[in-house]
Amino acid sequence: MNLETFQPGSASVPCTQVEISLRCEDLLDQDLTSKSDPTCVLFVQKSGKSGDWIEFGRTEKIKDSHNPHWETKFVIDYSFEERQLLKLAVYDIDSNEASLDDHDFLDTQNVSRGRQGTQGIG
């Protein structure tokens, strides 16, 4: 460290990356003739404002399951000194349309990145 160029308060916030694995149990059944085909969408809060969410990523679709265990993992930055919120939303995917409005909403859960260990949806 060069003490001549050091500026107090300019240090970066401690940060690391975490991997998130997802699964659900006993999801609602929105299909009439079969079980739901769920996918989980991860949203991160863009700013501190409530409702200001951006999509981070989606899992694969699991066909005919009320208890999906997705293979897709999300790797996100975790800042130790900031409150960071995540929103997990599960949809029944019935077509190849990308828009979530074209699919049946099943459930959602908002979690803080510091508490995501064992929280469930539903």
Side-chain angles (χ1 to χ4, degrees):
M1 176 196 301
N2 184 345
L3 293 177
E4 292 178 13
T5 60
F6 175 73
Q7 295 179 352
S10 65
S12 63
V13 174
C15 183
T16 190
Q17 290 188 322
V18 294
E19 182 178 271
I20 298 175
S21 301
L22 300 167
R23 70 180 188 160
C24 290
E25 295 180 5
D26 300 323
L27 286 174
L28 295 173
D29 191 2
Q30 294 290 345
D31 289 342
L32 296 176
T33 60
S34 66
K35 296 178 183 175
S36 295
D37 304 318
T39 191
C40 187
V41 183
L42 173 64
F43 296 90
V44 293
Q45 202 167 34
K46 186 175 179 181
S47 66
K49 297 178 184 176
S50 179
D52 195 12
W53 299 99
I54 57 171
E55 184 176 328
F56 184 86
R58 299 181 186 193
T59 65
E60 74 278 10
K61 174 176 75 172
I62 305 289
K63 288 204 54 81
D64 297 325
S65 179
H66 293 151
N67 302 296
H69 185 117
W70 291 283
E71 295 294 322
T72 301
K73 312 284 191 242
F74 296 111
V75 178
I76 60 173
D77 290 333
Y78 175 71
S79 299
F80 297 99
E81 297 181 7
E82 295 178 11
R83 183 168 187 253
Q84 300 166 295
L85 296 177
L86 303 175
K87 179 166 67 170
L88 302 166
V90 179
Y91 291 84
D92 178 20
I93 304 297
D94 291 322
S95 70
N96 291 329
E97 296 296 323
S99 173
L100 294 174
D101 293 334
D102 294 324
H103 306 289
D104 296 325
F105 171 79
L106 297 177
D107 212 338
T108 189
Q109 179 74 46
N110 293 354
V111 295
S112 169
R113 284 192 208 184
R115 296 183 40 101
Q116 64 215 27
T118 58
Q119 288 188 333
I121 293 179

